[in-house]
């Protein structure tokens, strides 16, 4: 009887289970859980295909910032993880693996072995020691052929020039997308390269692009399930940004500025070279700065002081006061005034030489940089007209340059004293880029142009968008601008001028020097011989300027032999180099040619084709057939430019002595090998002899030096 009851009970339970399974099979649900969807999720993989962040170039197409990768290493420990052919995909020899990895990771063999001996782990990582590995280190480890050692790559940003317009180009770093948590493991929440400074930040949306995706079905070991399709949505890469910077002049400026920084140790230096007619910034930098490649120095100055820092410009601002008076017709060059000091309300204002120069004509006020002369010229102009002209120059307004964080500055004309001090550049706050804009009106015959740092952009589809010159206004007449430049020439060439150190042989220079007091935290001006912002603004050639150069040096720690020693070491050689390049570029502009396609030809035939076009050819490789070329086919090149050809066979080192930095970078790019480039200018030595095979792992050092 008991047995019968048990049989009936077991039959009932079995019937219940069968009914339940039938229901689940028919409905596809367990409670509120959809089993079909669960199965789909388990075997489906929706992998993000990352878009490539756009590259930042200089005006000639030299790379300033581009996508790169860093790598993290991990070890597979599960002994069941093998390929379909039975090859081991897990660590098989832990002692050997630990010993070999200790050569490349900052861990001892014993420490690595501790990681490898962990139980019940499918795979393990090696903490921070196994992250942020370079491509060179990854290749070295891969060459050891260690079973079970794998890598994951993480997007990174490469800045090949190091300290090079760092605050302008900016930085991009990995950040978790807004609205997502760092602990979220979904693909759309993973860290992405995000611009946090400079052009990288301002154009972050354009540079970022749109990720694609790959949908597939795979088993628990990652193998694709049979009879399934892979659905791919291609990524849309970010746009490329071409700046107006000329790498040749930018690199030279960095060298000049560092020399002044090392010699006099000022708190701050700013320097800008701009095309007077277009507003295009050709070279610009600041100190303190940082190395964008290593991040060394980033903590000392986060701001782009060219657009984010305001200061009192001092005597260079007198150019605007003089422009207003001449344009309004109130300037009386042949009348005399008593220099030295002047009373304004209850204040006594002084010339930089407090004893003055006696009675002098107003025509000498600007060349001598007389504060008293400017105060009297402003009084003759009148407050309303002075304010009108400053408004026409857009003083206290942003320039609109495509850099983040730009500030507007300030202007105070509420009292006779502030009007008077503004006339000689104290009490008014400007940025460096605002000064470049104001000066362009004088250099460009009354037409004021906006400073421009971006030349054009190119989308992933190839659409090019140019940034044309923007005219900001016409604050003065052309005749006024010419008259002001004549006075600025006297600054440089008259025996009473303050800028004799800025003469450049073969050219007439129009310039204005400046010395402005630095305001302290208590609102009072600091005292002491070095508590000033020393500056010079120059235009060359004076009769029809092509370039404007503006240099400011604040509070040198080491007293210079003269104020001009601070700025002339930057201004003069930079302007000379720019004028030299302009002459050279004008001559070679007519020699522009389209780069021929040389790949798939024999090395001999390709060399002849290139040389017949007037190009210089260097071959890398021991083979006879060209497999890669730089520059690429159809690029615009200049006769005399170097072409690097890569052939099949062993990669052999060419003789790079005399090569430019850009040529060496071509070599590094086409070979994919690890090159270390030091200095600026042209190659003077190479650590690997010409004809030797370029190693896959060891670094090749190329030293450059200015001619």
């Amino acid at each position: 009887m008991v047995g019968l009851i048990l049989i009936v009970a077991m039959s009932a339970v079995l019937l219940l289970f069968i009914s339940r399974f039938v229901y689940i099979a028919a409905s596809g649900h367990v409670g509120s859980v959809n089993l079909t969807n669960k199965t789909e999720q388990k075997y489906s993989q929706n992998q993000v295909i990352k878009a490539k962040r756009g590259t930042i170039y200089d005006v000639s197409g030299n790379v300033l910032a581009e996508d790169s990768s860093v790598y993290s290493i991990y070890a597979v420990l599960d002994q069941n993880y093998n390929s379909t052919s039975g090859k081991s995909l897990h660590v098989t020899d832990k002692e050997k693996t630990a010993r070999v990895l200790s050569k490349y990771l900052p861990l001892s063999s014993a420490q690595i072995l501790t990681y490898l001996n962990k139980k019940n782990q499918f795979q393990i990582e090696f903490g921070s020691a196994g992250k942020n590995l370079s491509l060179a280190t990854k290749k070295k480890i891969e060459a050891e052929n260690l079973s079970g050692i794998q890598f994951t790559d993480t997007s990174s940003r490469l800045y090949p020039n190091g300290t090079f317009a760092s605050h302008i180009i900016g930085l991009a770093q990995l950040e978790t997308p807004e609205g997502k948590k760092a602990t979220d493991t979904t693909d759309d929440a993973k860290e992405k390269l995000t611009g946090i400074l400079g052009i990288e930040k301002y154009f972050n949306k354009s540079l970022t692009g749109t990720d694609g995706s790959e949908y597939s079905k795979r088993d628990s070991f990652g193998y694709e399930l049979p009879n399934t399709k892979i659905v791919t949505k291609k990524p849309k890469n970010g746009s490329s940004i071409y700046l107006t910077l000329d790498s040749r002049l930018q690199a030279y400026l960095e060298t000049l500025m560092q020399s002044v920084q090392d010699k006099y140790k000022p708190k701050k230096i700013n320097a800008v070279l701009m095309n007077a007619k277009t507003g295009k910034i050709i070279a610009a930098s600041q100190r303190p700065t940082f190395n964008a490649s290593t991040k060394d120095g980033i903590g000392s100055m986060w701001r782009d002081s060219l657009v984010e820092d305001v200061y009192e410009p001092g005597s260079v601002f007198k150019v605007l006061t003089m422009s207003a008076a001449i344009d309004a017709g109130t300037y009386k060059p042949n009348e005399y005034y008593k220099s030295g000091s002047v009373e304004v309300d209850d204040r006594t204002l002084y010339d930089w030489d407090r004893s003055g120069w006696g009675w002098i004509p107003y025509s000498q006020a600007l060349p001598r940089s007389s504060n008293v002369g400017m105060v009297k010229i402003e009084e003759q102009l009148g407050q309303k007209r002075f304010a009108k002209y400053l408004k026409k120059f857009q003083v206290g307004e942003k320039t609109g340059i495509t850099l983040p964080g730009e500030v507007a500055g300030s202007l105070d004309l509420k009292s006779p004293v502030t009007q008077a001090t503004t006339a000689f550049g104290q009490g008014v706050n400007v940025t460096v880029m605002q000064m470049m804009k104001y000066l362009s009106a004088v250099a460009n015959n009354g037409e004021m142009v906006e400073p421009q740092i971006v030349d054009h952009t190119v989308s992933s589809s190839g659409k090019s968008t140019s940034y044309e010159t923007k005219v900001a206004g016409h604050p003065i007449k052309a005749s006024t601008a010419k008259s002001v430049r004549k006075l600025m020439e006297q600054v440089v060439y008259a025996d009473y001028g303050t800028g004799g150190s800025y003469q450049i042989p073969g050219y007439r220079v129009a310039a204005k020097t400046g010395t402005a007091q630095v305001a302290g935290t208590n609102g009072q001006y600091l005292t002491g011989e070095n508590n000033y912002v020393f500056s010079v603004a120059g235009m060359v050639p004076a009769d029809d300027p092509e370039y404007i150069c503006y240099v400011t040096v604040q509070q040198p720690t080491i007293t210079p032999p003269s104020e001009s020693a601070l700025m002339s070491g930057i201004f003069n050689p930079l302007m000379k180099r720019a004028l030299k390049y302009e002459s050279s570029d004008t001559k070679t502009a007519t020699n522009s040619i389209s780069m021929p396609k040389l790949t798939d030809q024999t090395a001999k035939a390709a060399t002849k084709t290139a040389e017949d076009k007037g190009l210089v050819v260097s071959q890398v490789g021991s083979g006879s057939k060209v497999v890669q070329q730089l520059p690429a086919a159809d690029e615009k090149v200049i006769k005399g430019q170097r072409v690097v050809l890569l052939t099949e066979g062993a990669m052999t080192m060419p003789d790079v002595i005399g090569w430019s930095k850009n040529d060496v970078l071509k070599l590094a790019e086409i070979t994919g090998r690890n090159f270390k480039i030091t200095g600026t200018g042209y190659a003077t030595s190479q650590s690997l002899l010409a004809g030797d095979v370029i190693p896959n792992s060891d670094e090749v050092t190329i030293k450059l030096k200015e001619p």
Side-chain angles (χ1 to χ4, degrees):
M1 186 67 178
V2 174
L4 182 61
I5 294 173
L6 288 173
I7 291 173
V8 172
M10 290 178 63
S11 299
V13 171
L14 181 60
L15 183 61
L16 181 63
F17 274 112
I18 292 172
S19 300
R20 180 62 173 165
F21 285 140
V22 170
Y23 170 78
I24 291 172
S27 65
H29 286 76
V30 175
S32 60
V33 177
N34 188 314
L35 295 180
T36 302
N37 291 343
K38 271 290 183 183
T39 304
E40 184 77 10
Q41 291 173 12
K42 180 177 180 180
Y43 294 105
S44 297
Q45 287 191 3
N46 195 3
Q47 184 178 359
V48 171
I49 304 175
K50 293 182 179 179
K52 181 181 178 183
R53 188 173 177 86
T55 302
I56 301 175
Y57 299 94
D58 81 342
V59 71
S60 298
N62 297 308
V63 174
L64 304 181
E66 64 180 342
D67 262 8
S68 182
S69 293
V70 291
Y71 301 87
S72 296
I73 187 172
Y74 67 93
V76 178
L77 303 182
D78 191 329
Q79 295 184 6
N80 294 317
Y81 191 59
N82 301 303
S83 68
T84 52
S85 63
K87 180 182 177 181
S88 297
L89 300 177
H90 60 275
V91 176
T92 56
D93 189 335
K94 294 181 180 180
E95 286 75 14
K96 176 187 175 183
T97 301
R99 186 173 63 255
V100 171
L101 289 182
S102 66
K103 296 190 298 183
Y104 305 105
L105 304 182
L107 294 172
S108 68
S109 178
Q111 289 173 314
I112 295 174
L113 198 57
T114 300
Y115 281 103
L116 297 177
N117 283 329
K118 288 185 177 181
K119 304 297 184 181
N120 302 319
Q121 297 277 352
F122 179 80
Q123 66 186 48
I124 54 95
E125 297 179 346
F126 299 93
S128 59
K131 297 182 183 298
N132 297 317
L133 304 181
S134 68
L135 177 60
T137 301
K138 174 179 178 283
K139 286 183 175 180
K140 290 176 183 178
I141 296 173
E142 286 178 329
E144 300 283 359
N145 295 315
L146 298 173
S147 175
I149 297 300
Q150 300 292 335
F151 297 86
T152 57
D153 68 302
T154 304
S155 296
S156 182
R157 200 68 166 156
L158 177 65
Y159 301 93
N161 296 299
T163 303
F164 185 96
S166 300
H167 287 84
I168 290 175
I169 297 168
L171 284 174
Q173 67 180 23
L174 289 173
E175 289 191 351
T176 302
E178 187 176 352
K180 302 291 182 180
K181 296 180 179 179
T183 54
D184 191 347
T185 58
T186 59
D187 281 328
D188 65 342
K190 290 180 180 178
E191 291 182 316
K192 294 184 178 182
L193 280 171
T194 303
I196 58 172
L197 185 68
I199 291 293
E200 292 273 30
K201 180 178 181 180
Y202 193 94
F203 288 92
N204 184 63
K205 186 175 180 180
S206 298
L207 287 164
T208 299
T210 305
D211 290 341
S213 62
E214 181 181 270
Y215 174 82
S216 62
K217 291 185 177 181
R218 299 177 181 272
D219 62 20
S220 57
F221 290 104
Y223 294 110
E224 183 183 342
L225 295 177
N227 302 319
T228 60
K229 291 183 178 180
I230 297 176
V231 180
T232 302
K233 179 183 177 183
K234 293 184 178 180
K236 181 181 179 182
N237 293 331
S239 297
S240 292
I241 311 291
Y242 287 77
L243 304 186
T244 58
L245 298 177
D246 183 323
S247 286
R248 302 170 301 175
L249 290 166
Q250 182 66 41
Y252 191 45
L253 174 59
E254 299 290 357
T255 301
L256 297 172
M257 291 185 71
Q258 194 58 47
S259 177
V260 172
Q261 179 71 32
D262 294 340
K263 193 170 184 179
Y264 300 110
K265 302 189 184 318
K267 288 190 176 180
K268 188 183 296 184
I269 310 176
N270 288 313
V272 181
L273 180 69
M274 185 176 86
N275 184 304
K277 302 183 185 305
T278 65
K280 292 183 177 182
I281 304 299
I282 300 166
S285 191
Q286 67 181 64
R287 293 293 184 279
T289 188
F290 64 95
N291 185 312
S293 180
T294 64
K295 311 301 185 292
D296 183 36
I298 185 64
S300 61
M301 172 62 90
W302 184 256
R303 302 182 314 280
D304 182 349
S305 63
L306 299 174
V307 294
E308 294 186 71
D309 285 0
V310 295
Y311 63 99
E312 296 184 6
S315 296
V316 175
F317 199 80
K318 292 172 182 175
V319 172
L320 273 69
T321 304
M322 185 59 74
S323 296
I326 293 174
D327 203 70
T330 62
Y331 172 56
K332 303 171 183 177
N334 299 319
E335 289 191 6
Y336 281 68
Y337 71 95
K338 181 69 166 61
S339 63
S341 63
V342 63
E343 298 292 327
V344 179
D345 279 359
D346 59 348
R347 288 273 303 278
T348 301
L349 303 176
Y350 296 93
D351 278 321
W352 60 269
D353 183 344
R354 289 199 169 204
S355 61
W357 308 275
W359 287 87
I360 58 174
Y362 282 107
S363 60
Q364 293 185 16
L366 188 73
R368 290 185 184 273
S369 200
S370 170
N371 293 342
V372 173
M374 288 299 134
V375 171
K376 292 183 175 293
I377 288 172
E378 182 272 326
E379 287 176 343
Q380 294 167 358
L381 179 63
Q383 188 274 334
K384 287 186 178 180
R385 274 185 292 204
F386 188 40
K388 172 187 172 184
Y389 274 96
L390 293 182
K391 184 174 178 62
K392 290 173 72 175
F393 274 105
Q394 300 173 13
V395 176
E397 299 179 20
K398 297 179 181 180
T399 68
I401 191 169
T402 52
L403 288 170
E406 184 184 17
V407 297
S410 62
L411 177 66
D412 179 9
L413 300 176
K414 293 179 181 178
S415 72
V417 173
T418 57
Q419 295 160 28
T421 57
T422 297
F424 55 81
Q426 295 278 179
V428 57
N429 285 296
V430 301
T431 66
V432 171
M433 285 303 173
Q434 286 174 332
M435 287 299 296
M436 298 305 295
K437 183 168 112 174
Y438 310 152
L439 292 165
S440 73
V442 177
N444 208 21
N445 290 334
E447 185 171 88
M448 186 167 65
V449 294
E450 293 183 3
Q452 179 182 335
I453 196 65
V454 174
D455 186 79
H456 66 283
T457 64
V458 180
S459 70
S460 58
S461 63
K463 180 182 178 182
S464 180
T465 303
S466 296
Y467 281 67
E468 304 296 339
T469 297
K470 289 187 178 180
V471 177
H474 296 81
I476 55 176
K477 297 185 287 289
S479 59
T480 299
K482 293 175 182 177
S483 296
V484 174
R485 292 202 302 272
K486 285 293 183 184
L487 290 171
M488 293 174 70
E489 284 188 72
Q490 291 183 39
V491 172
V492 180
Y493 299 102
D495 56 7
Y496 49 79
T498 60
S501 298
Y502 302 102
Q503 296 181 23
I504 297 177
Y507 295 90
R508 291 288 289 184
V509 179
K512 182 68 192 82
T513 58
T515 305
Q517 291 177 284
V518 178
T521 55
N522 59 359
Q524 301 297 313
Y525 287 113
L526 301 179
T527 59
E529 63 179 345
N530 289 341
N531 280 321
Y532 293 92
V533 177
F534 303 101
S535 60
V536 63
M539 307 168 184
V540 185
D543 62 337
D544 186 18
E546 289 293 329
Y547 300 107
I548 304 171
C549 183
Y550 181 46
V551 182
T552 68
V553 182
Q554 180 177 327
Q555 295 170 286
T557 303
I558 299 173
T559 303
S562 65
E563 295 175 10
S564 63
L566 291 169
M567 285 84 65
S568 63
I570 298 173
F571 178 91
N572 292 41
L574 180 64
M575 189 66 86
K576 285 179 185 178
R577 185 69 63 91
L579 293 165
K580 175 184 175 182
Y581 283 161
E582 179 197 14
S583 175
S584 174
D585 290 347
T586 300
K587 292 177 182 178
T588 58
T590 56
N591 295 326
S592 176
I593 58 174
S594 180
M595 184 69 199
K597 182 179 182 296
L598 304 175
T599 52
D600 297 327
Q601 297 185 31
T602 65
K604 184 176 180 180
T607 298
K608 185 178 186 306
T609 299
E611 289 179 344
D612 287 347
K613 292 277 189 179
L615 301 170
V616 177
V617 179
S618 293
Q619 181 178 328
V620 180
S622 58
S624 59
K625 183 179 179 182
V626 177
V627 293
Q628 287 188 55
Q629 68 177 80
L630 281 177
D634 299 326
E635 284 188 22
K636 290 295 180 182
V637 294
I638 303 297
K639 289 182 180 179
Q641 188 169 331
R642 186 177 305 279
V643 179
V644 180
L645 301 179
L646 179 66
T647 65
E648 82 274 36
M651 287 189 189
T652 51
M653 182 71 184
D655 182 354
V656 301
I657 304 303
W659 286 28
S660 68
K661 183 176 182 179
N662 189 38
D663 289 339
V664 177
L665 288 172
K666 289 178 190 174
L667 176 63
E669 181 179 348
I670 204 168
T671 61
R673 295 297 193 255
N674 193 13
F675 283 82
K676 180 182 179 182
I677 306 171
T678 63
T680 59
Y682 297 86
T684 57
S685 69
Q686 57 190 81
S687 64
L688 186 68
L689 294 176
D692 287 355
V693 176
I694 305 175
N696 187 39
S697 55
D698 295 339
E699 193 173 66
V700 179
T701 300
I702 308 295
K703 293 183 179 179
L704 309 179
K705 189 176 181 180
E706 291 290 342

